[in-house]
Amino acid sequence: MARDYGTENWIDWCPGCGNFGIVSSVYRAFSELEVEPENTVVVSGIGCSGKMPHFIDVNGVHTLHGRAIPFATGIKMADPKLKVVVNGGDGDLLGIGAGHFVALGRRNLDVLVMMHDNRVYGLTKGQASPTLPRDTKTKALNTPSIQDAVEPLALALTSGYTHVARSFAMDSDHLKESIKDGMEHEGAAFLNILQPCVTYNDIHTSEYFNERIDKLEDWDPEDIDPTEAMDRSRIDEEIPIGLFYRDTETPTFEERIAEQLPSYQEKAPAEQDIEKNGKTILDQETFRSKFKGNLIRKEK
Amino acid sequence: MARDYGTENWIDWCPGCGNFGIVSSVYRAFSELEVEPENTVVVSGIGCSGKMPHFIDVNGVHTLHGRAIPFATGIKMADPKLKVVVNGGDGDLLGIGAGHFVALGRRNLDVLVMMHDNRVYGLTKGQASPTLPRDTKTKALNTPSIQDAVEPLALALTSGYTHVARSFAMDSDHLKESIKDGMEHEGAAFLNILQPCVTYNDIHTSEYFNERIDKLEDWDPEDIDPTEAMDRSRIDEEIPIGLFYRDTETPTFEERIAEQLPSYQEKAPAEQDIEKNGKTILDQETFRSKFKGNLIRKEK
Amino acid sequence: MTEKLNMILGGAQGSGLETTIQILSTAFASSGNGFLADREYFSNIKGRHSYAHAKISAEDIPRSIDSKIGLLGCMDAETLFTHFEDLVDGGYLIYDTSTEDKTQDSIKSIEDPLRERLEERFNEIGIDGTISSLVEYLKEEKNVEVIELDYPSILEDIQKEFDISSSQASRYVSSILIGAVTGLMGLEKEQVDKGIERKFEGKEKIAKQNIFLVEKVNEMVREEHGSPLKLEGAKLDEDELLMVNGNEIIGMGKITGGMRFQSYYPITPAADESFFIEQHASFEDEGSVLVFQTEDELAAITSCIGAALTGTRSATATSGPGFALMVEGLGWAGINEVPIVITYYQRGGPSTGQPTRGSQDDLMNVLYSSHGNFPRIVLVSGDHEEAFDDAVKAFNLAEKYQTPVIHLMDKFLANIVKTIPVPEIEGKKIDRGKLFDRKDYKRFADGPISERGFLGSEVMWYTGSEHDAEGNVSEDPENRIRMHEKRMKKLKIAGEEMDDRAIYFGPEEAENLIVGWGSVKGAILDAIDEMKEDFGYLHFRCFSPFPAKKVSSILEKSEVVIAVEHSYSPRVSEVVSLKTGYQIEKEVVKFTGRPIYRDELIDSLVNIIEGSDREVLKHGP
Amino acid sequence: MTEKLNMILGGAQGSGLETTIQILSTAFASSGNGFLADREYFSNIKGRHSYAHAKISAEDIPRSIDSKIGLLGCMDAETLFTHFEDLVDGGYLIYDTSTEDKTQDSIKSIEDPLRERLEERFNEIGIDGTISSLVEYLKEEKNVEVIELDYPSILEDIQKEFDISSSQASRYVSSILIGAVTGLMGLEKEQVDKGIERKFEGKEKIAKQNIFLVEKVNEMVREEHGSPLKLEGAKLDEDELLMVNGNEIIGMGKITGGMRFQSYYPITPAADESFFIEQHASFEDEGSVLVFQTEDELAAITSCIGAALTGTRSATATSGPGFALMVEGLGWAGINEVPIVITYYQRGGPSTGQPTRGSQDDLMNVLYSSHGNFPRIVLVSGDHEEAFDDAVKAFNLAEKYQTPVIHLMDKFLANIVKTIPVPEIEGKKIDRGKLFDRKDYKRFADGPISERGFLGSEVMWYTGSEHDAEGNVSEDPENRIRMHEKRMKKLKIAGEEMDDRAIYFGPEEAENLIVGWGSVKGAILDAIDEMKEDFGYLHFRCFSPFPAKKVSSILEKSEVVIAVEHSYSPRVSEVVSLKTGYQIEKEVVKFTGRPIYRDELIDSLVNIIEGSDREVLKHGP
Ligand SMILES: Cc1ncc(C[n+]2csc(CCOP(=O)(O)OP(=O)(O)O)c2C)c(N)n1
Ligand SMILES: Cc1ncc(C[n+]2csc(CCOP(=O)(O)OP(=O)(O)O)c2C)c(N)n1
Ligand code: SF4
Ligand code: SF4
Ligand SMILES: [Mg+2]
Ligand SMILES: [Mg+2]
């Protein structure tokens, strides 16, 4: 019997919030993939999106604003058997957390990053987020935003993510499949999710997206140049959704580590015994030989 | 008579360091542009590259590791008459400072960012920097680097810089011209400077670059798509240098501000009087009318 | 007829409570009453329980609120479940009769611990837990007078009257509450209408509909209950009052103080300040304040410093998590003697903690975060009036001593809405300190306080490394001693000027001395006013420089010294012990993030006098 | 013949001095002498003056160095200019006669203040400022015995002998110094060769050439001067010693303590620790330590926490500027009860400050940075031996109390190279604390110390917000009190276990008590050993929990209490006053970033006894 992955916590997003679409697609995706709750970790930042882990019945780590990626990185590196998914807001991942976002791409660590892209800072009452286009004045702004939007997919492609996709919170099937794809990819995967914020974003509404969304067809995301994917993913009149880019050649970070530390594959940090009967597993001899470079014998 | 822009401070870079090439090209560029020392500010981060301001006879602000850009941003926004140049290392700008690097592009503030790209962390003794290609083992590393290099120009283009170029520390003329171009551009300009580190980077040496450098010819950096510039700028067998991209249409941050605060152009923050005879310039009446939304009159 | 009334108005976050409060407070104030309201809400945008806890006074401007309330106005059932125990015997309750069958089980937003407590309590008092059983209990056992209104049917009426949709009508629940409250309190129609028109300026139709509804409910209530809560004739002198929360008054202070650059990254409870300043940014031709939303707090502080280097009065505003990212920049400003102001609103910690709740637990954090040693000035304000003065003063001190100033506020002050007299503006001093004035300029020459130049005037250097008088890096040991001493001496000089910022309230020699700072001021002053015992209050307005001499002399005079603070363990006791060696042995603390109420404070002080060493206050849902 | 020798070897950064020190120290140690050397260098990669200040002892392992030296070995003229005044009367000087015409004017790397002081001093002693005039002065006025070697001609010889280029030969200057020093000190050839072979393992040709050169110079020197500095027969018992700096010994401790994940962002003086661990990362089939270079310190601390959540013993290492970026993560670890270890090497602040110089000014910073309140354990080590034990202990405490541990070190300890006995490994306790062991797991149930589960074993939640036993966000006030008290109580429990971490050295009841911690330990112990007056030393190994009872009882016994610290104003006095109310009124401080020398400390203590309240130490270039 498939689990439903819900928790008992009351979900306190605004009625109609796009996050409901996201969390229910997560339930469906997890259910279809039959993920093991104790071996799965949802790591989130701070924001409306940051509340995700409390609503999903797998391990949840609700971290700091902007830092979900490095938390997730430590978790995954120390225990690579865990399936790790990051949920973050657009402010979280591309504003305060942009440096980590870039760094994850450079590593190609096997983590899926799901960005709840509502183009505003929801939880702090509607300020402009890094994905809000210039000259846009959403509800809570005094004046239109004067910063250009960052293009999340272009940034992911530039940074080296090996799986780059966009989906829409209100298209449950598309999103569910996108999540599954992202989780099945081995390497750093980025999934940008267009998410209506019914309270603060009165411009990029469900209707707005519905009118513009254009599902990728006849597009082969493999064996292409990242810049091709960038061009294809760009938002103009239409908003293309789907998987734009996938690269399965570039080794994952785990593979790169294992190449240098062969025991990593079998004995990742979390798998190692470090004590025997309450004592260190190092013995005097091992210590001496390990640090022989520092040992000096008295010459008689 | 042209100034030479040198200072009395002893330049303590390693003999042969590529930074010497950079600082002398700065002298030449400043000299040809006849920049006004008191109206020019060199802002730097921390690293070997961070020492730059002390060797140049214009205002110098030697800031924190990774934060040169936001310091420069505050300076330029508060006093837009100043010419502001940022000097940073590759670690400084694309490692710890990557978030700010992206944010500056989104603003198109009129600042030139010169990146001293030696592919290592010089001042902390040679660790891998974000531009060191994967599987490279420079002198001070225990093992080859396992992180992919970020492509600085691609990142700049993705982030919205409107002037994106590459030059080489040892090609004094090319570099001098590149600096002049960058300073004359109005908007966020990025200049990636390939810089040999003779002490820690034994792979990407002067010879290495000399053998591979390929100066852009027949390339019109205007009216093109950023992804075209990205493709052209990519480093393969050859390392193209020159100006890849220029966009003079996108309004600068200063222009965007002025559109919302019309007095900004004439009375930037640094230009405003805030006191008269040791008293606030606000009078009781202005205060009342400014904050009338909070004033409540007793009804008789 | 009474002179003061404590009331709670509650409803789901985002359901119009804010509007209710704004309109009512305007009505109270314009009828000459003093008003103060604390705002409590979850870290949530819509749906969770939120409330305003207000005191209205006919004779003065309130300084604190009481845990026991005379009036409870409910927008929904959760409000009644949450607050029913707060009503005084004989208090008044306004509620929606259509919710009478509701039990807490149907209300998902109630958190488990409250749910369990309610369960237990209902068992105890023997009711079935429906709203109607609860109302019955209040009537019978607590003599509560209940104003029973059928909200849906009232809304239906207005729906018909104006031919509007039911979803639109549902947004008018706030006006039902306004009507009922103003009815009970006997407010004049004009004053209420004024509040409504003001709130809906430019939206006349909506204003009209609300006025209609308010009047209707007002009449219904008066008819049945009269106006038993009418306050005795308002005695406030001022013709005009400011109605402000702490964020706003700080914004006003900063603008008055000549701030022209404010950088910020959004965070509760600081962001509203920047929003307010941005709304008031423009002085027509005179210039404007640049409000800059940065990518994070690292950029907020460093861009603020950059702006300050150009001679612009510059500030940033944040709370704990944001300040954590400002620590490195703070040190840079310290060693480079840059005048910046950080307005720091404390909220519940550690970490994300209780992002929308109050705290005073960050005093040591602002005093000691950052490596090495440099002078920093730390001002703290106890109420809105102090906050305004300090917001101006902060810039004067920053520029006079060329050093960062932290202005420590808290979430309570930030969100408390209060009527205050319009501040005197014209006398407000602006002191820009020693300015640059010669050739051959060296930024750090002739200490302790050097002449300050602006980027754009002469050539100068700055560096976060130890530097010489010119601002160039120097590792020389003797230069190090010179420059380090130069900087530290500034704090000493400032200390001499600022020894008055420990203020004593009370009789000449009080047997019991309360020590506190920040938003506890009001409750403490009100408590000692009322208590028979001989109490004094030592109120800090500055912790660095520390007014050690004055503090020691005051401490010596009392037998029992009690720290009162919103923290786990009083930070003020730590600082006092550190600076004077005096160990404060008694404490009243609260760390639930809810305000300290006058009445619970009095109770705890009684316990202290009777021998208790530590009182942990718990009131407030 | 003497038992101890203080020496300085100096040269330009990057010119081979490091090699000299490594080879010499190996030679000393393998001949049974104790060795300790402080390393001083600029924030510079090549060219600025750097030196090692060493003590070699035949009878014990040195704990401190003296400002006055018996031997000065110069690789270049700048060394002589910088250190000539440090030579004792009758000391020995090794220098390059080819530099005899040099004046300081030709040496660009000398900083202005030193330049001015030299100028003044040369005027005073009436010399023209050439190296030769200086040498003459030392001979005449200070009875210095001068070993005059013409470095270029010696290098020319070797160039010819092995047919190598002159640029290659120039890298052999270090061996000239080695030859001269070992000659004067009468070291056996085998011991020196051993050092060289070890250094140039795998590069036999280079080793051979160096051995040749060392022997040649050694003979030249012995011929002319004999071996007047030969140390009296080495008395150290150990057959085997570890030659380690502080970074290395911490690395060894961490590996022994079971650390399997270390994240870091490069920073002086912490980065070498991570580099060392990485070099020793692999245990063949047994596993390995993952050393992870992050993009910044925000990522270093948060990835470290992430790794710790999987049950991996995890740590990070940094200094002040990096720690500033870790503060927010620290608070998260605090509220989530995550066992992590932060090794913090203090350097000169504020801000970038003096990045390669030492300091102890960050104690309050590590104790109080971060908003809100949570238990943190702060261990401090006074020497390499303590550092090893504490590096292991830190993980045990972190896991036992499920809370972050900061292990506070400093730049002196990090860089000081020292011979120490090989630590006992097999007895080393590993205490993983209370572990998860049941169904229906709740991470934060049953406090104060809950059962700790690992991600990957059962389902659990973490959040930086206040949370319930399950780890889900809760804003309930009673839950808040429960959880806050749960966390804070852990520190109290830890305090009971750790009351022994204030250690008293000295006579039963000393009239004068020195209070200190960290790297001042050695100089203080050596100073009180020598002084006739009645002195005790209270040495802290932990500041949180604070061993208040023990400290108070020790403080009470002495009449004069003196804090000794590398800071502007002793942090230890602040903490002691804060925690006990005892105000330490005397202090010896040093904030030039140079080490405290035994002899200058003794002088300052004499002044203190004679009535001085504050002594600012200044020695060391
Ligand atoms: C260091 C820090 N700064 C600021 C905040 C305040 N904060 C909470 S959520 C948030 C932004 C949320 O926006 P986004 O990441 O887009 O998430 P959303 O709420 O839209 O899902 C901010 C700025 C914080 N928690 N920590
Ligand atoms: C917050 C912080 N972390 C670490 C350091 C240490 N640090 C100094 S320079 C440097 C890196 C320098 O590398 P890069 O930016 O490439 O400059 P380069 O020296 O190569 O010019 C680092 C990590 C610091 N100063 N501040
Ligand atoms: S504020 Fe926006 S993003 Fe947040 S819960 Fe409400 S609708 Fe959703
Ligand atoms: S370490 Fe490298 S970058 Fe730094 S000064 Fe030396 S050569 Fe230049
Ligand atoms: Mg968002
Ligand atoms: Mg670099």
Side-chain angles (χ1 to χ4, degrees), chain A residues 12-19 48 118 120 122-123 195-200, chain C residues 45-46:
Chain A
D12 67 352
W13 288 315
C14 307
C17 173
N19 282 321
C48 294
N118 56 10
V120 291
L123 195 56
Q195 176 235 317
C197 165
V198 293
T199 302
Y200 295 116
Chain C
I45 300 300
K46 274 190 181 164

Side-chain angles (χ1 to χ4, degrees), chain A residues 38 53-54 59-60 62 70 74 100 107 270 272 278 280 284 288 290 292-299, chain D residues 30 198 236 239-241 243 248 256 260 280 282 288 295 423 425-426 428 430 458 460-463 472:
Chain A
E38 62 287 0
H54 303 287
N59 285 297
H62 181 190
H100 311 303
R107 297 183 183 126
Q272 294 176 47
T280 175
Q284 201 73 21
R288 288 184 64 258
K290 197 160 183 55
K292 62 177 182 297
N294 294 81
L295 264 190
I296 298 183
R297 288 201 67 79
K298 189 149 87 180
E299 303 294 320
Chain D
S30 63
R198 193 176 170 119
L236 289 190
D239 284 343
E240 214 173 41
L241 288 168
M243 172 76 71
E248 292 166 347
T256 305
R260 291 299 176 266
H280 299 85
S282 208
S288 50
E295 59 274 27
I425 298 306
E426 295 182 28
K428 275 290 166 204
I430 301 284
E458 247 299 342
M460 64 196 80
W461 284 271
Y462 288 98
T463 172
N472 282 308

Side-chain angles (χ1 to χ4, degrees), chain A residues 4-221:
Chain A
D4 74 357
Y5 293 94
T7 65
E8 286 174 8
N9 296 308
W10 183 58
I11 302 188
D12 67 352
W13 288 315
C14 307
C17 173
N19 282 321
F20 285 101
I22 300 178
V23 78
S24 55
S25 295
V26 168
Y27 296 150
R28 291 178 60 202
F30 280 19
S31 204
E32 292 181 18
L33 293 174
E34 296 183 28
V35 307
E36 295 168 8
E38 62 287 0
N39 284 322
T40 306
V41 189
V42 172
V43 184
S44 71
I46 299 285
C48 294
S49 44
K51 298 181 175 188
M52 283 284 284
H54 303 287
F55 310 142
I56 307 175
D57 192 17
V58 302
N59 285 297
V61 186
H62 181 190
T63 71
L64 292 165
H65 190 41
R67 316 296 164 216
I69 287 179
F71 269 93
T73 301
I75 293 168
K76 181 72 185 177
M77 285 176 70
D79 195 351
K81 78 164 185 296
L82 299 174
K83 211 58 202 138
V84 178
V85 177
V86 167
N87 280 274
D90 36 14
D92 205 83
L93 291 168
L94 299 184
I96 193 169
H100 311 303
F101 184 84
V102 171
L104 179 60
R106 295 180 50 218
R107 297 183 183 126
N108 197 30
L109 186 75
D110 182 18
V111 165
L112 166 63
V113 177
M114 294 170 51
M115 189 170 95
H116 300 224
D117 187 357
N118 56 10
R119 303 184 175 182
V120 291
Y121 284 0
L123 195 56
T124 49
K125 303 198 291 191
Q127 297 87 354
S129 96
T131 56
L132 187 71
R134 176 154 51 90
D135 287 338
T136 314
K137 186 183 165 317
T138 44
K139 218 161 157 183
L141 303 189
N142 280 317
T143 49
S145 172
I146 60 173
Q147 318 207 31
D148 277 300
V150 70
E151 272 188 55
L153 281 82
L155 192 63
L157 288 161
T158 305
S159 307
Y161 285 75
T162 51
H163 180 108
V164 177
R166 184 186 285 126
S167 186
F168 177 39
M170 309 320 253
D171 186 338
S172 179
D173 288 335
H174 190 274
L175 178 54
K176 177 204 70 183
E177 289 302 321
S178 302
I179 294 168
K180 283 170 62 183
D181 277 5
M183 289 191 68
E184 283 177 335
H185 175 72
E186 286 178 14
F190 176 60
L191 175 59
N192 185 31
I193 306 171
L194 303 167
Q195 176 235 317
C197 165
V198 293
T199 302
Y200 295 116
N201 195 330
D202 48 346
I203 294 176
H204 308 107
T205 59
S206 273
E207 300 70 52
Y208 176 96
F209 289 121
N210 270 323
E211 280 164 17
R212 289 166 178 77
I213 272 175
D214 169 35
K215 284 187 196 163
L216 267 192
E217 271 163 32
D218 298 327
W219 178 258
D220 181 359

Side-chain angles (χ1 to χ4, degrees), chain D residues 81-96:
Chain D
F81 284 125
T82 309
H83 299 282
F84 72 95
E85 305 243 53
D86 298 334
L87 273 166
V88 293
D89 206 276
Y92 289 78
L93 166 69
I94 303 163
Y95 90 107
D96 176 2

Side-chain angles (χ1 to χ4, degrees), chain B residues 180-197:
Chain B
K180 284 170 61 183
D181 277 4
M183 289 190 68
E184 283 176 336
H185 175 72
E186 286 178 13
F190 176 60
L191 175 58
N192 185 32
I193 306 170
L194 304 167
Q195 177 235 317
C197 166

